[in-house]
């Protein structure tokens, strides 16, 4: 039986199958729970469109969180406004600008896409590949 492809990353051409999505989302949801994300928590997700965004969004929904996507291409001032307006305490991003924009917000924990599963390289493929910075929060 052929694996059903749910997404092809336009930047890399790599395909994400339904099985991979399920496995990666399950692993990421376990880690989100371990990091304290609970049902009803708003989680900002600032990642480029691609497999990581899909996996992380599914994981947040799986733990009962409210996935709040923030477009990665926004300038820092708009990012700051969106982050502040969300009142979220958790953000998932690989973008330094998003981390800087969250400095004066309620965000208390910043996670990178690669932090949310053993398939970090596959999650990171859709991001900008910038290193995470901790700012005032633990980057786990």
């Amino acid at each position: 039986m052929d694996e059903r492809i749910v997404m092809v990353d336009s930047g890399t051409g790599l395909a994400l199958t339904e099985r991979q999505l399920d496995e990666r989302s399950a692993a990421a949801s376990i880690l989100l729970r371990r990091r304290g994300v609970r049902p009803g928590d708003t989680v900002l997700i600032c990642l480029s469109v691609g497999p990581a965004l899909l996996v992380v969004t599914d994981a947040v929904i799986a733990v009962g969180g409210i996935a709040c996507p923030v477009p990665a291409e926004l300038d820092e001032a708009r990012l700051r406004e969106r982050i502040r307006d969300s009142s979220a305490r958790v953000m998932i991003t690989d973008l330094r600008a998003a981390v800087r924009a969250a400095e004066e917000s309620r965000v208390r924990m910043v996670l990178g896409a690669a932090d949310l599963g053993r398939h970090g390289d596959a999650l990171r493929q859709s991001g900008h590949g910038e290193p995470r910075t901790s700012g005032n929060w633990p980057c786990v």
Side-chain angles (χ1 to χ4, degrees):
M1 178 167 77
D2 289 333
E3 281 285 334
R4 196 168 93 171
I5 296 173
V6 294
M7 173 181 237
V8 176
D9 188 316
S10 61
T12 65
L14 294 173
L16 181 68
T17 67
E18 191 170 16
R19 178 182 295 166
Q20 290 170 324
L21 174 60
D22 290 346
E23 289 172 353
R24 294 171 188 178
S25 294
S29 66
I30 290 167
L31 290 168
L32 285 172
R33 280 189 199 100
R34 286 182 183 162
R35 297 292 181 216
V37 176
R38 300 289 177 247
D41 287 351
T42 299
V43 178
L44 291 164
I45 304 170
C46 187
L47 298 169
S48 297
V49 173
L53 178 61
L54 185 58
V55 169
V56 168
T57 301
D58 279 1
V60 170
I61 293 168
V63 299
I66 300 164
C68 182
V70 178
E73 63 275 359
L74 291 179
D75 62 61
E76 201 167 319
R78 298 271 326 260
L79 280 170
R80 186 174 296 109
E81 181 181 317
R82 289 274 189 95
I83 292 166
R84 186 185 60 240
D85 290 348
S86 75
S87 297
R89 293 181 310 108
V90 178
M91 180 168 63
I92 301 168
T93 189
D94 291 327
L95 304 173
R96 289 179 189 202
V99 173
R100 284 191 307 269
E103 287 179 354
E104 295 178 18
S105 71
R106 295 186 64 196
V107 171
R108 295 295 169 255
M109 181 172 36
V110 177
L111 301 168
D115 297 323
L116 294 177
R118 61 189 175 128
H119 305 286
D121 291 338
L123 290 177
R124 192 183 356 239
Q125 286 169 356
S126 69
H128 292 293
E130 290 191 32
R132 295 180 321 274
T133 58
S134 62
N136 297 321
W137 320 277
C139 256
V140 227

